Amino acid sequence: MDPYATWLDGQVGFTVTDVPERERFEARDETGATAGVVTYQLSGNIIAYTHTEVAPEFEGRGVGSTLARAVMDDARMNRRTVVPICPFLSGWLDKHPEYDGIVARSTRKVK
């Protein structure tokens, strides 16, 4: 993944980067402020997304969806299987069946 790739969600653009030493993806706005993060645990080709957090001042601006799409596109590009532990990401995936082929789901959802 291009570490400086920009995902657009609506009219707001955020730069999403993988920060592997912190085991998270970060979304930053045009000023460099951290708008949100998705944390993960990587084991081989399996990536578990554990938590999504959006800074309060960025809520309602599409940061969560931008992060979700970015991390799922990254997983697809790197041929990883996704385990969506994070309730936000799991709910987002319910609305985006285009990622079903790379998602490992149990019969029980984590809530």
Side-chain angles (χ1 to χ4, degrees):
M1 177 172 123
D2 175 357
Y4 300 103
T6 299
W7 280 263
L8 295 176
D9 194 345
Q11 300 296 331
V12 180
F14 296 94
T15 302
V16 177
T17 56
D18 184 8
V19 185
E21 64 274 11
R22 297 185 76 186
E23 295 185 309
R24 70 187 206 171
F25 284 85
E26 298 177 347
R28 295 184 180 273
D29 72 0
E30 63 281 349
T31 69
T34 302
V37 299
V38 172
T39 59
Y40 64 83
Q41 293 177 349
L42 181 62
S43 179
N45 71 337
I46 298 171
I47 190 161
Y49 293 122
T50 56
H51 181 68
T52 302
E53 187 171 333
V54 174
E57 62 271 25
F58 289 97
E59 288 179 4
R61 293 180 52 193
V63 176
S65 293
T66 299
L67 276 163
R69 186 167 306 283
V71 302
M72 292 305 297
D73 287 347
D74 181 77
R76 179 183 281 155
M77 187 177 66
N78 288 296
R79 298 183 179 186
R80 293 182 174 140
T81 299
V82 172
V83 179
I85 295 170
C86 168
F88 171 81
L89 186 61
S90 186
W92 186 89
L93 285 167
D94 288 343
K95 299 173 193 155
H96 294 85
E98 64 269 26
Y99 294 104
D100 284 352
I102 63 169
V103 177
R105 291 197 186 256
S106 68
T107 55
R108 229 179 48 194
K109 286 191 179 183
V110 177
K111 295 220 179 212

